[in-house]
């Protein structure tokens, strides 16, 4: 859908409104629905807020994950403001930040072993950072239609490109191991 020039503006506007919620949505979705066999049961879950923490209001959060020791890793978007960050959970302090090139729009983020994998919007490329030193990074190419959400089970990556397809990805080669079209009552869920 994002590949058509005529829908790009619409897509961008929709994204600005909805993308903050996409990360949470993806995590919730991935945690109980994905890659189960067809017609598996589903449930509606409620969220209960048990604590709140300060957070940089200028950060346009696109990827967020919890690591050990009260540490968050965050990917922020927008052209010219995209970054990868290490953030202290308790006080929201940005402890380490890597500013990305102005042509890159940060997207989903996943921590697998010692590496942070980050997607970028409207591109088939992303970055792998050393979690202890963001200056050490390399670029990868993936085979999704776009880069949106990213998650891991500690073994492989799970990616979303804004379509109804979820992708299981080999982190060593970035090749797609499996695709799953997400449907609800016969309709594809974008
Ligand atoms: C977490 O904190 C403990 C205790 O300070 C330390 O030994 C450990 O290396 C830390 N883990 C990471 C990933 O920094
Ligand atoms: C981080 O990596 C860069 C590039 O390899 C290196 O120059 C720098 O010394 C490293 N910084 C630390 C704190 O290890």
């Amino acid at each position: 859908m994002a590949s058509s020039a005529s829908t790009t503006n619409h897509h961008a506007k929709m994204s600005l409104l909805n993308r903050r919620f996409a990360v949470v949505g993806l995590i919730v979705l991935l945690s109980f629905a994905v890659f189960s066999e067809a017609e598996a049961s589903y449930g509606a879950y409620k969220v209960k807020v048990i604590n709140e923490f300060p957070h940089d209001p200028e950060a346009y959060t696109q990827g967020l994950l919890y690591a050990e020791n009260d540490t968050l890793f965050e990917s922020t978007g927008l052209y010219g403001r995209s970054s990868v960050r290490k953030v202290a959970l308790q006080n929201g302090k940005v402890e380490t930040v890597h500013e990305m090139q102005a042509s890159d729009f940060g997207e989903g983020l996943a921590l697998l072993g010692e590496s942070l994998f980050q997607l970028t919007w409207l591109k088939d490329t992303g970055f792998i950072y050393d979690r202890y030193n963001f200056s050490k990074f390399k670029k990868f190419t993936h085979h999704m239609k776009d880069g949106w959400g990213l998650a891991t089970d500690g073994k492989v990556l799970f990616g979303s490109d804004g379509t109804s397809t979820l992708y299981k990805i080999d982190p060593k080669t970035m090749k797609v191991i499996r695709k799953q079209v997400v449907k609800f009552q016969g309709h594809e869920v974008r």
Side-chain angles (χ1 to χ4, degrees), residues 118-129:
Q118 182 194 39
L119 298 172
T120 59
W121 190 35
L122 300 180
K123 292 187 179 176
D124 65 353
T125 51
F127 300 95
I128 304 174
Y129 302 87

Side-chain angles (χ1 to χ4, degrees), residues 20-55:
R20 280 159 194 265
F21 306 102
V23 173
V24 174
L26 179 70
I27 291 167
V28 172
L29 186 66
L30 284 170
S31 62
F32 63 82
V34 197
F35 303 119
S36 52
E37 292 308 312
E39 306 304 323
S41 65
Y42 56 88
Y45 290 75
K46 285 184 180 166
V47 173
K48 188 175 164 195
V49 177
I50 57 169
N51 212 333
E52 292 183 35
F53 300 98
H55 176 248

